[in-house]
Amino acid sequence: MGRIPGFQESIFPTASMPNLTLVANIGLILFLFLVGLEVDLRFLISNWRVALSVSAAGMALPFGLGCGIAYGLYHQFREDSGLSPIAFGTYTLFIGVAMAITVSQAGLDFGRKYLV
């Protein structure tokens, strides 16, 4: 959608961006607070090895796959007109972190629905 001329200016006017940023930050803080409320520390401490290995794999695997996807996307679209130049490392880090965060949220939703 960023390639559509005038899209961002018509949907998100410049004057509304500070308010949207504020609402987004408040939503993020509330989300993290709710995640913290659901953590059972006694269970985590008693099973710390399993929790550590699952959490490390749950972040490393999606991050690695995101970096692999970023390689293909970067080389496919980097020469399109109208794009600002960006370093490959920055692009890879962004896509990898975005994938890891998205997968972790999907995992929380899956666990809440099917495992509890």
Side-chain angles (χ1 to χ4, degrees), residues 65-75 88 91-93 95-96:
L65 291 174
C67 290
I69 291 170
Y71 179 81
L73 288 175
Y74 181 80
H75 293 296
F88 177 68
Y91 186 78
T92 303
L93 183 64
I95 298 294

Side-chain angles (χ1 to χ4, degrees), residues 74 77-92:
Y74 181 80
F77 295 110
R78 70 178 172 173
E79 295 176 5
D80 284 358
S81 63
L83 295 179
S84 300
I86 185 170
F88 177 68
T90 304
Y91 186 78
T92 303

